[in-house]
Amino acid sequence: MPIPEDVTGEEIDKDVRQELQSLPKTLADDVARNLVMVARLLDEDPEGAYGYSRVALRLASRVAAVREAAGFAAYASQKYGEALAEFRAAKRMTGNIDLWPVMADCERGLGRPEKALDMAGAPEVHKLDKAGQVEMRLVAAGARRDMGQLDAAIVTLQSPELAANSVQPWTARLRYAYADALLAAGREGEARDWFAKAVEADRDGSTDASDRLAELDGVEFVDVMAEDEDTDADTDADEDVEREGSDDVDAVDEARVEGGSSDGSSDDGSEKKD
C-alpha cells in the first residue's frame, strides 16, 4: 500500500521504536511507516488503517506493538474475532493486562456479553490503573444492556468516579453512558441532568452529549448556511421572474410599434379612417 513521502516512521512512540530495534533497520523503518499510517487513519478510515496493519503484521508478526496495532485496526473495523486474537497475542508477548477491557468489549462484539461480564470480575481487573478500571466498568455496563438488564447496567455505572466533581479523561464518557442508560430505562429527568453533566466534562467533543441534551430539551438546530442558500435561490428565482416580465412588456411594446400605436394613429402619424 502506498505511503506518503512525508511519513518517515520517526513519528511513532519511542517505546514502539525501541521494540522495532530487534529488526533489521530497513525492515524496522518499513514497519514503523505502516504503523504511522495505522495511527493516522484509525478514526477516520478504519478500513484503510486495517490494510496498513496487515502489511505491518506480515512484516513483523513477532513484535507485540505490531500485534496490538493490528488488533486496534481490526477492532475499529468491527472485525472483533481478529481483534481479540491479536490482543491475546500481544498480551502473551508482554504480559501486560492493559488490553483487558478492550478484549472484553470484543467478546461483546462477538455476541458473548456473558463472557465480557466474566472478564469484568476477573483478578486482572484489579491490576488495571484507574482509567482501565473505568473502561472495564463501561464494558460491563454495556454487557448488562446487551442482556436487557437496564437496572443492573445503571447500578454498574454508579461509582466514586461517576460522583466525583473533578474532570478526568474518562469523566465525559462515564457520565454519558450513565445518562444513556437512564434514558433507556425511562428516567428522562435524571438522564437530562447527566447529559448536562457530560457536556460540562466533554472538553474535546468526544461524545454527542450536547446534541442529546438539546434533543431532550426540544431544541432544533437550524442550518444557517442551508437557509442562506435557499434565500439566495429564492432571490435568483424572483429576479428571473422580474426579467421574464420585463421581456414580455418589451415584446408588447415592440408589437405595438410594428402594428401601430394604441391610440389609433398609423406609423406616419395620420389617423386611421373607419
Side-chain angles (χ1 to χ4, degrees):
M1 297 181 68
I3 298 177
E5 292 183 1
D6 66 313
V7 176
T8 65
E10 295 295 331
E11 302 90 339
I12 62 173
D13 184 84
K14 63 179 182 179
D15 292 335
V16 177
R17 170 61 70 177
Q18 187 171 0
E19 278 194 62
L20 296 179
Q21 287 179 357
S22 61
L23 304 173
K25 186 178 188 312
T26 301
L27 180 58
D29 289 342
D30 288 343
V31 173
R33 295 179 72 211
N34 278 281
L35 292 181
V36 171
M37 293 306 297
V38 172
R40 279 191 179 186
L41 299 176
L42 194 61
D43 292 332
E44 57 190 51
D45 182 12
E47 287 297 332
Y50 177 76
Y52 283 105
S53 76
R54 301 309 293 178
V55 175
L57 194 59
R58 187 169 64 249
L59 295 173
S61 61
R62 295 186 179 182
V63 176
V66 172
R67 304 303 290 265
E68 183 174 328
F72 278 110
Y75 178 79
S77 300
Q78 299 184 1
K79 298 175 175 64
Y80 298 116
E82 286 186 40
L84 185 56
E86 298 302 338
F87 289 143
R88 284 173 173 168
K91 180 177 177 294
R92 282 196 302 270
M93 290 176 177
T94 64
N96 195 324
I97 47 83
D98 289 349
L99 295 171
W100 196 253
V102 72
M103 290 169 63
D105 207 39
C106 285
E107 295 287 2
R108 285 186 61 211
L110 292 169
R112 301 193 293 246
E114 297 88 351
K115 179 62 176 176
L117 287 176
D118 288 343
M119 294 180 68
E124 284 83 353
V125 175
H126 300 293
K127 301 176 184 178
L128 295 169
D129 61 13
K130 181 61 68 176
Q133 290 179 4
V134 171
E135 194 65 35
M136 192 71 248
R137 189 177 292 276
L138 287 167
V139 173
R144 291 292 186 188
R145 292 190 63 172
D146 293 343
M147 299 167 66
Q149 301 173 1
L150 282 174
D151 290 339
I154 291 170
V155 172
T156 299
L157 292 169
Q158 292 171 345
S159 62
E161 294 79 20
L162 178 67
N165 292 324
S166 62
V167 174
Q168 303 295 334
W170 59 77
T171 303
R173 292 178 58 237
L174 185 59
R175 292 177 180 179
Y176 182 95
Y178 189 60
D180 194 48
L182 288 169
L183 188 61
R187 296 160 62 175
E188 187 171 313
E190 294 173 81
R192 193 248 174 238
D193 292 340
W194 281 98
F195 275 126
K197 292 179 181 179
V199 171
E200 292 174 0
D202 195 0
R203 296 168 179 171
D204 58 358
S206 61
T207 73
D208 65 345
S210 60
D211 293 339
R212 300 293 299 278
L213 180 60
E215 183 180 351
L216 286 174
D217 288 343
V219 177
E220 293 185 8
F221 292 100
V222 177
D223 190 337
V224 177
M225 294 300 294
E227 278 202 345
D228 289 344
E229 291 175 1
D230 291 341
T231 301
D232 291 342
D234 291 342
T235 301
D236 291 341
D238 291 341
E239 290 176 353
D240 289 341
V241 170
E242 289 177 1
R243 281 194 295 270
E244 290 175 1
S246 177
D247 291 342
D248 291 342
V249 171
D250 291 343
V252 170
D253 289 344
E254 184 178 347
R256 286 172 176 171
V257 170
E258 292 180 353
S261 65
S262 61
D263 60 0
S265 61
S266 64
D267 291 342
D268 60 2
S270 62
E271 295 184 356
K272 288 185 178 180
K273 299 185 182 291
D274 293 333

